[in-house]
């Protein structure tokens, strides 16, 4: 069964490296915030109107790509997932107890792999023929990280709406 988008802005992916962890701690807010900002900049199309800035951006992008290739990040298994401003849902092979608090570990980019680790609490666990659908709510984030996270969700949501328009849906 396919996951449905949440009401409101969300990121919907058929294959997102994501896992639930009781052993991990939430990531460093400053580092995750900066990563989300760099990822947003990298994903923006640059028109090359300012050659000096464009050349600097190209050099930075290339340096980041080379650095990312040297990192050995073990990514979680890919699952279908939907992330919203207040909650997250994903397909899982095992049930999780309602009320359990833990960390959602996920990666947004295989080119720039960094595991983002956000605190969450299990809200629902729905049994299906192929496993379970887990629904969790995000636990409070510090303002700096919350701002970057919300911008990321809105950015991916705009792209999703644009794709629907291009498909004529």
């Amino acid at each position: 069964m396919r996951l449905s988008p949440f009401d409101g802005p969300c990121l919907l992916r058929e294959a997102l490296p994501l896992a639930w962890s009781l052993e991990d701690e939430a990531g460093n807010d400053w580092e995750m915030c900066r990563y989300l900002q760099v990822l947003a900049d990298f994903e923006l199309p640059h028109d090359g109107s300012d050659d000096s800035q464009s050349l600097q951006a190209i050099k930075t992008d290339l340096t980041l790509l080379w650095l990312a290739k040297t990192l050995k990040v073990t990514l979680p298994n890919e699952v279908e997932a939907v992330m919203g401003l207040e909650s997250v849902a994903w397909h899982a092979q095992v049930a999780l107890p309602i009320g359990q608090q833990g960390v959602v570990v996920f990666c947004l980019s295989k080119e720039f792999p960094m595991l983002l680790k956000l605190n969450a609490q299990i809200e629902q666990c729905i049994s299906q023929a192929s496993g379970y659908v887990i629904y969790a709510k995000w636990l409070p984030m510090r303002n700096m990280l919350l701002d970057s996270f919300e911008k990321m969700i809105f950015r991916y949501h705009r792209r999703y709406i644009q794709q629907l328009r291009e498909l004529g849906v």
Side-chain angles (χ1 to χ4, degrees), residues 47-82:
D47 64 1
S49 59
D50 182 348
D51 289 337
S52 64
Q53 284 186 340
S54 178
L55 182 57
Q56 184 60 39
I58 290 169
K59 289 177 183 179
T60 301
D61 289 347
L62 187 57
T63 302
L64 287 172
L65 281 169
W66 286 341
L67 178 61
K69 286 181 180 183
T70 66
L71 297 176
K72 301 296 180 212
V73 177
T74 303
L75 298 178
N77 291 331
E78 291 183 347
V79 296
E80 184 179 3
V82 59

Side-chain angles (χ1 to χ4, degrees), residues 115-130:
L115 295 178
L116 298 169
K117 300 176 182 182
L118 300 176
N119 291 321
Q121 181 175 342
I122 304 299
E123 292 284 299
Q124 283 186 303
C125 181
I126 301 171
S127 178
Q128 295 185 330
S130 61

